[in-house]
Every structure is written in C-alpha cells, then in structure tokens.
Amino acid sequence: MHPYLITAKPGRLRRAATWVRVWTLRLLALAVMTVLGAVVLTVRCARPIINYLATRLIFLELWAAQRLGRPPVSGFVGAGITDEFIAEFHRARQHASAGSPT
C-alpha cells in the first residue's frame, strides 16, 4: 500500500481501472504463453512424421532423377545450405575466440 495523503489518494474508478489493466495484461501474457506452448508441443510431436516424410521424399526424388537421367536438385540445395552453416559456424568460432585470452 502506498502512503498517500488523504487528498492525493486515487479514487475508486482509478484504482479499479488499474486493477483491470493489471489483470488484463496478466491474462494476455498467460494466453500468449499458452499458445506458444501449444505450438512448440505440436512441432515437437510432429518432428518424427516430418523426418519420415522428408526421407520418403528424398528417396522419391532420387528414384525420379534416376528414371529421368537428371541430377537430384535437393542434393545441390542441401549441400549449399550445409556449406553455408559450416562457414557461419566457423566465422562465429573465430570471432568468439579472437577476443578470448586463450
């Protein structure tokens, strides 16, 4: 409780508005956390299905590439992405170790 002077104490409407604002924000924060938790749980539960489907699609693409006599596109895209991740990882390690006195 705040030590208000008798004349400076906020009225009932202002206290009620403050109470409503505080609880509205708390409920909004709870709703956001609940939705994010549901999304994360859904993605984590779907991961094995996504991995299985990705594996099947890779085999299907390899089969189609073999039948058509063309190279598989996902191999080139995947290799490029992997190379970029490796380069970024090494850049991050070099910048992190440049400042450390090891």
Side-chain angles (χ1 to χ4, degrees), residues 2 4-16 18:
H2 298 287
Y4 294 112
L5 296 173
I6 294 173
T7 57
K9 187 172 182 180
R12 287 185 181 198
L13 285 176
R14 177 168 264 181
R15 283 185 284 163
T18 301

Side-chain angles (χ1 to χ4, degrees), residues 47-68:
R47 182 187 272 171
I49 297 167
I50 293 169
N51 286 345
Y52 175 77
L53 288 175
T55 304
R56 290 283 125 210
L57 289 174
I58 288 171
F59 283 133
L60 179 65
E61 185 194 10
L62 290 174
W63 174 81
Q66 187 180 24
R67 295 282 181 237
L68 294 175

Side-chain angles (χ1 to χ4, degrees), residues 8-81:
K9 187 172 182 180
R12 287 185 181 198
L13 285 176
R14 177 168 264 181
R15 283 185 284 163
T18 301
W19 182 86
V20 167
R21 186 186 71 222
V22 167
W23 278 100
T24 302
L25 286 174
R26 286 179 182 172
L27 290 175
L28 181 64
L30 180 65
V32 167
M33 288 188 290
T34 303
V35 168
L36 286 176
V39 168
V40 168
L41 180 65
T42 304
V43 168
R44 291 190 72 151
C45 291
R47 182 187 272 171
I49 297 167
I50 293 169
N51 286 345
Y52 175 77
L53 288 175
T55 304
R56 290 283 125 210
L57 289 174
I58 288 171
F59 283 133
L60 179 65
E61 185 194 10
L62 290 174
W63 174 81
Q66 187 180 24
R67 295 282 181 237
L68 294 175
R70 295 184 179 172
V73 176
S74 66
F76 297 130
V77 173
I81 292 173

